Each structure stands twice: as structure tokens, then as C-alpha cells.
Amino acid sequence: MKRLFSLLAASILLTGLAVSVPAEAGPPPQYGSEGNYVADRDTKIDVMGEWAHPDDDTSIIGPCGVWHQLYGVKCGVIMVTRGEGGGNAVGTELGPDLGLRRENEDRVAHYRSGTLDIFNLDRVDFFYNQSAPLTQYFWDEEETLRRVTRVIRTTQPEIYIGFTPTLAAGHGNHQQAGRLIWEGVLAAADPTKFPEQLRGPDALSTWQVKKVFSGGSTTGTGGTTTAANCTTGFVPTPGTNLDTVAGVWTGYDSQYKWPTGNLQGKPVGSAKIWQQVADEGRAAYPTQSRVMFKGASAPACSRFGMTQSFVPFQPNTADGTANPAAGRDDAILFGATEADPGGLPKGTLEYLTFSRFLNVAGEPFQATLHLKAGSGQLKPGKVALTVPAGWTVDGPKQVGAVSDKQETTVTFTVTPSATAPVNQNAKISALYTSQAETGYTDNVVRIVSPTEGRFERWGNWAEYDEWLADTAPQAIRLGRSAAIQSMSIGSTLAVPVVVHNWSNQPQSGTVGLTLPANFTADATSKPYSALAPGAETTVTFQVTNTDTALPATQNVSIPITTTYSAPAGTGNETLTLSLVPSTAIAQSTTTPVVDGTAAPGEYSGPTLDLGRIWQGAATCTGVDDCGVSPTGEGSTAKVSWSEDALYFFIHIRDDYQSYAVTPQECVGHWQADSVEILLDPRGTASQVLKDTANTFKLGIFPFTNDPSASNGNGANGPCWSRDADNHQGYSTGPLAGTVSDAPNAPGVQVASTATWVGTNETTTPHAYAGGGYDLEVKIPLADLPAAVDPAKLGLNITPYDNDDTSAAGTTTLRHIDMSTRLGWSALGSVQSDPYRWGRATMPGYTPPADRPTTPSAPNVSSPNLNGALSPQTIAQSARNDVPISGRVPTSGLEVLSGRLGESSVELVTSSSVSGTARMFLTSGELGAIPVYTTSCSPAADPAPDYGLTPCAVTDGGIPAWSPDLSGHLVKQDSKQITGGVQKFSIPLTAAQRAKLAADGHLLISFETPQNEVQAFDLKLSR
């Protein structure tokens, strides 16, 4: 396809003479015999991956290299964000500038595998969280899905790979990226979704992705890592893994050679295996604390678990034994880019659906096989289903000729065994036979208790189950949400259990709780009766914890048992309950003076123990290292309130001073010694699906590299910033209010007793004077996003301890995350889970009457990069004709002529619409700009391999990046375009002209006020 939004071929020359550029449109979109849009090879993607951030996607580097080299497969990546909200371990770029750098890192990682197309969707990367709903809020859920759908419909991928959509993905951005796979596959094939994409001069067609690998399991036995066709003999774990697993060996030789002097001592000119290429690519993200890969890789077998297929495929086992065809390294391609070995023509659709997914033992349901020929028709045949032992099914059944015009369906009645095990998935397979050709497919259902009692889901867990039911029912095979809740020690919690009758007859019974030690309840068993088929009721218990101190194990299990009557039996679920600490924050008898000391009367409340580790225990060596002490002499805190502010006195035990940040680096507190104070003013942030976006989180660095006191806190004094909360960004010094729209923590005061040792060189002793430091902090409650509820304030305090972070063989500390993380409440990823913070009351405090109780709208401060400002994105769009960011294309701009003069580039354009043209004059190859320095010779190790192989232990330095993309951006300019013909010039210095004349391009992005986009790549030549 050559779309109207890219009217000029990339070979147009701007020379010393004026060049006339044809004004007519380029080749029109390609359409098949039925009038449907067909992507040409420049645009077509065979295997598409989708992830949230650069460096999430490294699992496909090796596989795509093999598939590309051996089978001609073209991979692509949909990247939802450029990771602008992450840290930067090697530079000062933040926000959009960091997005440019991280985009290049991702392109470097994949380039050698033939994966040149990375489709950035320009969504904001806001902060680490564990909430898909919060991600939807920031990403504009509908617009993001629209862009995903356009990219799928334009590139027409056959196979889709990426994150699981479940809460097991952790990061909320990862969860939502996984959801977008399932939603995008559905939307791209649905003519009612974004129908504007299917009309007009740039009309696309609906598209059916053939296979989905999102959240599948790869557990099993057999196979190898030492030979081709590495999944041969592999058997998924019986009874546990019902997903078909496809693998690919990464021990094949790549086209990249070991250069002279390579550090690994490999024979010069011998081939790097694809696993070596993959491992080097995984390390190509220095901004994210990765370092140059200097090892030698062993072959591996990358495996992917399939979760949905619309085409015939090869199962891992046939008749109980391993299926050799499924073990081939191209098995993932069967039925999609290659014809299935069963013989059905490529393009044949075959898949199973069920009348319901959740089924009861002994009760029948329907299974339907869907068939559609790829072209022409398939001759009459038959279909047989295979069900688990003890189950029954009718058939086999005859099926007539199958056409390519509409689906043919064959429906069976399946009855599970009366003794089918509950709470397990069960596989049903279909074999379609048409003369000598066969097609296999399978799918799973789940057997549940006739009556099921589940703890009532809330927050993200309830929202995920709703998404399964309403949007992506097929994804329920991955499992519903877990039963999770929290409570503070010594408190009482309502535990509601929803009882659902899945059977076809009324049920009666009881719901019971098995309580662990130090728990009581108003009753341990309660009845329900006469529950009709399909109906549900709620049974609620009042559970009380009797602990007086936080136990060593904060997570406890409470089994829930539900009995039923027809037939008599029991169902079970286990609630995981997190116990969190609690405290009463006392009012100070004397308003604290923020001077780094705790004077009498300032802090009369209890001492909080901060010496609990929640991450990084392996690097902690005791109380003198990171403040952990079973006897209370470790890191501690006291909290009080006075007037309308909270005061904190925090004592940190630590034996080693970390890297000292500059004021410009006073963000990303986890990359250096720091303390974070976390406050949920209403105590409901998790319940209302906003997680930390409804909270206040202050990260405090106890010292800085600021000898001139430019930050306003004294020479080398402390600095602080807000992160991952309602208004993140710099909070102190000249930078406060510059990245965000206003200061986000006015009135905060910090005093620190830490004194910097004066250097980031480890040759100087880095011990803290006195074995640690004290912080005293004032936080005005008006800075919080809402009025404090004095009965249920969420509170946590989390010290971060970074020790010697210098790279091996060096003596300079790095600004890099190698922290041990502690906390008052130390559970899992507690920095992102307000429901796991401690609970605090503020006796006697009443917030001002006019202070809002609803948190203000969150502000992430740093915006995301607009793809129209990325030279790499513009060049890609001009080459493959997929619009920038998956936005709406326009053909409104034409370049009529151009001239590379002695001191300028002169352009003449014609436009039928107004908009902004952004021009980037570049030199050299933009596809993969090196991210590391090396002493290897470029002649011995040419691009794109150059910069990824070390020839000395000291290799792996970081090339200068800003402000010119490591010297590749010669100049940039922008012009406002109005209708009609316009002439303009871009002035050049002699040096700029010489660089462009040698190897230059003019990249142009054009944006209309309607957010439509267009891209040009014009080669400059003498």
C-alpha cells in the first residue's frame, strides 16, 4: 500500500538545482478482488507484539531474528508509550526528551532482528501503578483502542504477542497493554468498531488476527535448548497447562559476526547466534539502568503459550504422545503465515466456541465449531470432538462444502462427567476432515461448583472480572481475579461472600470461614436457602483481628467453604487478607520546629518501626546497613500533628552514602538513598480505582551534590519531589513548578542531619557520620489532594537504601536503582498499593470546612512525546505508510519543489488545509543510533551491530545524546502552513550544509488542527 498521506517517495532528491515534485497523488491503496484493502509488503506485519514501555518487548528479539532469517517473517511492535515517565540513569532528559532517547533504545534493541517497525501510540507514561482503570484514565481508553485498531487494520498482522491482561501483569500499564491485545483483535474484525476507518479514500478493511499469545502458559517438560526444532518432545504440564506452546530455537547463526578484538574471545568472523543478539538487545536500554552485555550467550528455546486461535494448528500432543510437527521452530506460524501441516489451505478459519465457559459437572452445554475457507471452498467432510475422559459428546457430524463467503458452524452437545474436578479448566478439541486434509483446534471450559461462594470483589479485582464478562470473555480462560483484602491490626472488617447458583436446580446450604489464630467473627458459618438457578445472594461476616502488634507474616489465609444441596457437596475459595499496622497520630503539645531534632513535646506519639524489608533483601546485611532490627534500634519514625500540618521525625540507620543527586536529578528517589512519605487523605484511593493518583507521596533525598546551594536548602542540603501521586514533579528549588503547572508541595519543610562526603568516587569513604541520618519534615495538609478523613488516613513511610552502585571495574557511583526498600507497612509492591499502607487516625483534628473531600484531578506533570516530533517515527511512517501514532491520515500537504542551496534548504509546498509542518534535517542512519561506546573497530563490526560488542573491559560508556540525537539531527524548524502555495527556507551554516550534502535527509511531519498526520522522508544529495 502507498497511502495518500505519504505522497512522495523516499527517493526524491533535493539538490543544488530546483527539483520539480509531481503534485498528483501517489499510488492508491491496494485492494483485493472483493474490494477489500490489502496491505502490501512495505506495510504488512506478520507477527505483531504489543507492550506498554520500551524494554517490555525484549522477549521477541531472538525469535523474530530467527523467523525473519529462516522464514521471511516480518515482526512489528505496537508500543503504547515511550517510557517518558521512567527514570534516566545516564542523562538529564525527562519527559518528551527522554521519550526520544528511549524510542531509539528500543529500535536499537530490535533493529538487527529485522524488526524495523515500532508503532508508538504516543500515550502518556505517567508512573508505576497496579491499576488498569487508572491507566485507562490517563491513556484515553477509547482513543488508544482506536489507534491500536488502525495499526492492526493497516498492517494486517497474522499473529499477536504480548502481556497477559490479568492483574498478574503487575504494572497497570502492562495490564492495560495486555487488554488492548484482546480488545484490538476484537475491534479490528468488527465492522461496527471505528467504522470511519472503513470509509473514504483511505478506507481500510476489517481484519482477523489468526493467533493470540497473551497470558498463555509455557510450563511443561521435554524439548531442548541445544538443537533446532527445540520444542520437539515438549509436553505441557498435564492437568495444569492446557495452552498450546510454540517454541523457536535461538541457537541458529545470525548474519552478525564477531569482530577483531572482541572481549568474549570468539573467533573473528564467526557468527553470533541469535541468542547473543537477543541478550545484547536486552541490554540496550542504559537509561533504565541496563549495562552493556559483555557475556557469551548459550542457545535457548523461547516459548509462547497460545490463548486464542482462529485457524487450525498443531497440538503439542497427539494420542498422548508428543507431536513432532508442534515441535518445529516455525510451528507458531502454522495456519497464519504458513499453511498448517494438516493440509488445509492457508487462510482457512477454524475455531471453537461454547454456550458458556463456566459449567457444572453433569450438566450439558453446547460447543460450536466455526469454519470458513480462505478462498474458494472446501469439499464436504466431517467433524469430531474429543472431550476429557468420562465426558460425553454427540457426533461425529457431517459438514457440507465450506465456502469463503460465510462461516459454516457445527454444534455439539457436551456433558461433563458427574465427577469432573471443580475449579479447573478442561480442554475440548475438534478435528475437521475434508478428504485428505485435516484441521485441528481446541479451546477450554471451566468446571465450577454447582453453588459457588466467592468473597465479594472490590476495586481493581471487581473491575477486572467485569472486563472479562463484558469485553473479552475468551480471556476468562486465564482465570478470574483473586480474593484479596486488607485490614489494620486490632480492627473489625466486613467480609461479604457472594453465593452464585451455577446449576439448573435450586440450592441451599451454608457459607463458613476457617479463621487463623488471632481472629474472631460474629459467626463462622451462616446459611442461605432456596437459591434459584442463576441467582445469587450475599452472606456477610464481621471478622475481628485481635493482634496488638504487627505479626511477622502480614498476609494470612481465610478459607471460605460453601455447601450446597443438589447434589450435596462443597465449594472452596481462599481469601488472602493483608494485615497492616495502625497508629494514632497525636497532637503536639509544642508545634515542632523543623530543625532535625525531636525536642520535648514535639512528638509524643508511638514510635513506628521502619525496619521491615519489602524489596531487595538480598543486598541488606543488617541494622548497620539498611536499618533492619528485630529489637527496635533500626530505622524508626515519629509522627504528630499541629494546627493544619503533619510533622515527621525519621531516624534512618545506614552505613553507606549513595550517589549524591544534583537538583536536576531530584526525581526518581529510588535511585539513591531516600525516604518516601505516603499519605492517602481519604483512605479510599484503591477502592475508587485511582490508586496513588488520589494520594500525596513525597520522596526526600537527605543530601545532594549542590555545593552552591542553588536549590535553596543549603550547601549540599536535602531536596524533595512528589512521585506517582496526584501531582508529581519537582517540589523544591528553582525547578518546582517548572515541569508541572504549579508548585505541588508549597510549605513543605525538610531538615536533614546527613552531610555529604563530597564526592561520588568510591575511593573516598562513604560512611554516614553517626551511622545514619535524621530527617524532620513538615507537610501542610492543604497540600494533600483532599481533606484528611481523621478516622482513616492511609500512611506509610518507606526508606530506600542504595549502597555501592559503581559498575564492575569502576570507582564512580551511578544514579541507578539497586536499592533495598523498607517500610512501616512492607507488603509486595507497597509503593503503588494504598490499601496496603498503614492506617492512622488523628484524634482531635478537624479539616477546614471548605476543603474538598473529593481529590482533585491527577496531574502527571511531564507530558508524552508527540510522534510528529520524533525523526525516527516520521521516517518510519514515510517508509511504511502507517500514519504517525496510528492517527488519522491526511493528504493535505504536497512538496512541489526543493533546493539545497549554499546556505539554506528552499522548499515550495502546496496545501489544501492548514496545519503545522515540522522539519528535521538529519544525517546518517536513524534506524538504530548506538547507545554504547566501544573500542571495536567500526570496519570490523559495522552498523547495525556496531556499539553492541565490547572489545575492552572499559567499553560500555554512553555516547552523548542531547540535543542532536548523537549528532544525527543537524537542524530542525517548524512552519505554520495555510492553504495554497507557500515558499520558505531553512538557513544552514557551511558545516551543516556539508554534513547534509554527504548523507542527509529532510523529514517532514504535517499535523492539521483535526489531529490528522502526514509524513515525508526526502533524501538530500549533491
Side-chain angles (χ1 to χ4, degrees):
M1 160 188 89
K2 289 292 178 285
R3 312 288 295 171
L4 298 183
F5 56 81
S6 188
L7 300 176
L8 302 179
S11 60
I12 292 174
L13 304 181
L14 298 182
T15 70
L17 300 174
V19 176
S20 177
V21 181
E24 65 269 14
Q30 302 296 308
Y31 293 94
S33 59
E34 300 298 320
N36 57 307
Y37 159 77
V38 179
D40 70 13
R41 200 55 194 161
D42 288 342
T43 306
K44 170 78 173 176
I45 297 294
D46 299 309
V47 177
M48 182 73 82
E50 182 192 301
W51 287 275
H53 316 100
D55 76 17
D56 291 341
D57 53 353
T58 57
S59 62
I60 67 167
I61 295 174
C64 283
V66 173
W67 295 329
H68 182 64
Q69 178 174 276
L70 298 186
Y71 312 116
V73 164
K74 191 166 105 176
C75 289
V77 173
I78 294 176
M79 189 56 62
V80 187
T81 82
R82 288 181 178 80
E84 297 94 336
N88 185 350
V90 294
T92 59
E93 298 87 2
L94 296 173
D97 290 335
L98 179 58
L100 278 175
R101 190 165 192 168
R102 292 198 67 183
E103 176 184 344
N104 177 66
E105 289 176 343
D106 207 33
R107 293 185 183 278
V108 170
H110 290 274
Y111 194 90
R112 292 177 296 168
S113 296
T115 304
L116 310 184
D117 295 318
I118 298 179
F119 305 96
N120 288 282
L121 300 184
D122 295 359
R123 302 291 86 187
V124 65
D125 177 37
F126 49 99
F127 50 70
Y128 181 78
N129 66 92
Q130 295 205 76
S131 171
L134 181 63
T135 301
Q136 294 161 15
Y137 172 86
F138 281 116
W139 281 1
D140 186 345
E141 179 183 12
E142 186 74 357
E143 176 60 21
T144 304
L145 180 58
R146 177 180 282 106
R147 295 185 183 194
V148 167
T149 302
R150 181 178 290 279
V151 174
I152 293 174
R153 286 172 172 171
T154 307
T155 61
Q156 299 185 331
E158 308 291 340
I159 297 166
Y160 216 149
I161 296 174
F163 281 130
T164 178
T166 69
L167 280 73
H171 197 320
N173 290 181
H174 296 176
Q175 295 174 36
Q176 186 61 19
R179 291 191 190 190
L180 285 168
I181 293 174
W182 295 83
E183 294 175 8
V185 168
L186 292 169
D190 183 354
T192 69
K193 288 295 291 184
F194 312 118
E196 74 280 359
Q197 297 178 359
L198 309 175
R199 302 189 295 260
D202 298 309
L204 301 168
S205 297
T206 57
W207 179 253
Q208 180 62 69
V209 172
K210 308 307 186 299
K211 291 183 174 182
V212 179
F213 295 80
S214 168
S217 172
T218 59
T219 62
T221 58
T224 183
T225 61
T226 60
N229 300 315
C230 63
T231 311
T232 301
F234 176 83
V235 176
T237 305
T240 301
N241 182 12
L242 302 183
D243 298 331
T244 293
V245 176
V248 57
W249 192 52
T250 55
Y252 291 104
D253 287 346
S254 75
Q255 63 265 43
Y256 304 104
K257 310 299 182 183
W258 287 101
T260 301
N262 68 83
L263 188 64
Q264 291 87 340
K266 295 290 186 178
V268 174
S270 63
K272 292 181 177 180
I273 62 170
W274 277 110
Q275 188 59 45
Q276 181 75 31
V277 174
D279 290 338
E280 291 170 354
R282 286 191 183 95
Y285 301 89
T287 64
Q288 303 310 294
S289 302
R290 310 283 177 93
V291 295
M292 185 186 221
F293 182 69
K294 298 179 181 179
S297 302
C301 187
S302 298
R303 294 196 172 117
F304 304 89
M306 187 170 68
T307 45
Q308 190 168 26
S309 178
F310 295 92
V311 294
F313 57 88
Q314 293 295 307
N316 291 116
T317 60
D319 299 324
T321 60
N323 175 14
R328 286 168 45 182
D329 289 328
D330 58 344
I332 197 171
L333 310 176
F334 294 161
T337 67
E338 296 181 11
D340 183 74
L344 292 176
K346 187 172 72 171
T348 301
L349 298 184
E350 179 185 11
Y351 60 99
L352 267 175
T353 60
F354 305 111
S355 56
R356 65 180 189 179
F357 175 78
L358 299 173
N359 290 281
V360 174
E363 295 187 6
F365 62 93
Q366 280 65 53
T368 300
L369 182 70
H370 303 252
L371 295 165
K372 187 177 181 182
S375 60
Q377 68 175 17
L378 301 174
K379 293 183 178 180
K382 67 176 182 179
V383 177
L385 295 194
T386 298
V387 296
W391 295 34
T392 62
V393 61
D394 56 339
K397 296 188 177 183
Q398 299 297 313
V399 60
V402 176
S403 78
D404 60 355
K405 305 299 182 186
Q406 60 183 13
E407 281 192 349
T408 295
T409 59
V410 187
T411 298
F412 299 80
T413 297
V414 177
T415 303
S417 165
T419 58
V422 298
N423 298 327
Q424 291 185 20
N425 288 355
K427 180 183 291 186
I428 297 173
S429 64
L431 186 66
Y432 165 55
T433 304
S434 176
Q435 294 189 330
E437 300 167 345
T438 62
Y440 171 93
T441 191
D442 62 41
N443 205 345
V444 301
V445 294
R446 188 172 183 85
I447 301 299
V448 295
S449 299
T451 301
E452 190 179 39
R454 300 179 78 222
F455 170 71
E456 185 175 64
R457 300 317 196 247
W458 62 284
N460 292 330
W461 297 269
E463 191 275 341
Y464 174 70
D465 284 353
E466 291 169 3
W467 177 79
L468 288 175
D470 299 339
T471 303
Q474 170 69 15
I476 199 172
R477 68 180 286 155
L478 304 174
R480 293 176 287 176
S481 67
I484 292 175
Q485 185 53 282
S486 66
M487 66 184 300
S488 59
I489 59 172
S491 67
T492 297
L493 174 73
V495 176
V497 179
V498 179
V499 183
H500 186 98
N501 184 359
W502 293 104
S503 74
N504 57 12
Q505 51 191 312
Q507 299 283 357
S508 298
T510 62
V511 179
L513 304 182
T514 302
L515 297 175
N518 299 329
F519 281 86
T520 63
D522 59 340
T524 56
S525 179
K526 295 187 178 184
Y528 70 93
S529 62
L531 190 64
E536 63 185 30
T537 189
T538 301
V539 176
T540 301
F541 299 84
Q542 297 295 324
V543 175
T544 300
N545 173 257
T546 59
D547 283 303
T548 57
L550 191 67
T553 300
Q554 286 184 248
N555 284 332
V556 298
S557 296
I558 300 181
I560 301 171
T561 302
T562 303
T563 68
Y564 46 86
S565 56
T570 60
N572 299 278
E573 180 178 70
T574 298
L575 167 65
T576 298
L577 188 63
S578 298
L579 287 171
V580 301
S582 63
T583 191
I585 300 175
Q587 183 177 10
S588 300
T589 57
T590 300
T591 299
V593 176
V594 182
D595 56 4
T597 61
E602 291 184 336
Y603 300 96
S604 58
T607 298
L608 309 183
D609 180 7
L610 307 184
R612 303 184 180 103
I613 298 176
W614 50 277
Q615 279 184 13
T619 60
C620 180
T621 58
V623 62
D624 289 329
D625 181 10
C626 55
V628 177
S629 171
T631 57
E633 74 272 19
S635 295
T636 59
K638 284 180 171 289
V639 189
S640 65
W641 70 270
S642 179
E643 297 177 339
D644 196 38
L646 283 172
Y647 292 84
F648 299 81
F649 184 80
I650 301 169
H651 173 65
I652 300 297
R653 288 287 297 269
D654 194 358
D655 68 340
Y656 193 96
Q657 281 193 5
S658 74
Y659 175 91
V661 301
T662 64
Q664 293 75 21
E665 294 169 323
C666 188
V667 289
H669 58 273
W670 54 90
Q671 296 182 110
D673 285 354
S674 64
V675 174
E676 186 175 41
I677 298 172
L678 309 91
L679 300 168
D680 178 3
R682 307 302 299 171
T684 60
S686 293
Q687 289 86 332
V688 298
L689 303 177
K690 283 297 179 66
D691 283 25
T692 60
N694 273 9
T695 72
F696 177 98
K697 296 175 63 185
L698 191 73
I700 303 166
F701 297 82
F703 57 87
T704 58
N705 180 358
D706 185 24
S708 65
S710 65
N711 214 38
N713 301 315
N716 302 326
C719 71
W720 51 95
S721 62
R722 290 177 62 178
D723 176 76
D725 72 348
N726 185 258
H727 193 171
Q728 68 176 16
Y730 294 101
S731 302
T732 181
L735 288 171
T738 58
V739 176
S740 56
D741 59 356
N744 57 19
V748 166
Q749 298 177 29
V750 175
S752 172
T753 63
T755 301
W756 183 39
V757 299
T759 177
N760 283 320
E761 290 298 313
T762 61
T763 51
T764 294
H766 272 252
Y768 280 100
Y773 58 93
D774 295 332
L775 293 176
E776 191 167 17
V777 184
K778 173 187 177 181
I779 299 178
L781 293 177
D783 287 355
L784 275 58
V788 165
D789 182 341
K792 54 181 182 181
L793 171 68
L795 168 67
N796 210 2
I797 302 171
T798 56
Y800 291 75
D801 176 22
N802 283 261
D803 289 336
D804 186 347
T805 58
S806 59
T810 70
T811 60
T812 303
L813 294 175
R814 295 176 296 166
H815 190 207
I816 187 172
D817 180 18
M818 294 174 59
S819 60
T820 297
R821 303 178 178 194
L822 301 93
W824 180 45
S825 182
L827 280 165
S829 185
V830 75
Q831 85 270 34
S832 62
D833 290 334
Y835 78 96
R836 286 175 162 172
W837 299 354
R839 312 288 163 79
T841 59
M842 295 178 62
Y845 174 76
T846 301
D850 60 349
R851 186 164 294 164
T853 57
T854 299
S856 54
N859 181 336
V860 298
S861 302
S862 296
N864 53 289
L865 177 67
N866 174 359
L869 294 171
S870 166
Q872 291 178 315
T873 292
I874 298 166
Q876 175 181 300
S877 180
R879 171 178 52 78
N880 66 16
D881 299 316
V882 182
I884 293 169
S885 317
R887 288 145 67 180
V888 178
T890 181
S891 56
L893 180 67
E894 299 177 51
V895 178
L896 299 178
S897 66
R899 181 175 181 274
L900 178 59
E902 292 302 317
S903 60
S904 64
V905 170
E906 306 291 334
L907 291 175
V908 180
T909 64
S910 176
S911 178
S912 58
V913 295
S914 62
T916 302
R918 296 184 176 90
M919 293 152 287
F920 300 86
L921 291 163
T922 66
S923 176
E925 172 57 54
L926 285 184
I929 302 170
V931 297
Y932 293 117
T933 60
T934 178
S935 57
C936 297
S937 164
D941 191 23
D945 202 53
Y946 180 75
L948 293 166
T949 309
C951 285
V953 174
T954 54
D955 286 352
I958 309 301
W961 172 260
S962 295
D964 58 0
L965 313 187
S966 294
H968 289 266
L969 179 60
V970 178
K971 188 167 186 178
Q972 65 185 78
D973 200 357
S974 65
K975 298 292 182 184
Q976 292 303 308
I977 301 293
T978 57
V981 175
Q982 289 188 273
K983 301 179 181 180
F984 51 89
S985 64
I986 305 173
L988 301 174
T989 66
Q992 288 171 334
R993 188 193 186 284
K995 197 168 186 179
L996 294 171
D999 185 19
H1001 284 251
L1002 171 60
L1003 303 172
I1004 304 175
S1005 67
F1006 180 61
E1007 290 182 288
T1008 72
Q1010 291 73 39
N1011 205 29
E1012 300 163 327
V1013 287
Q1014 195 172 1
F1016 303 88
D1017 182 352
L1018 313 177
K1019 182 174 175 56
L1020 303 177
S1021 177
R1022 288 186 182 275

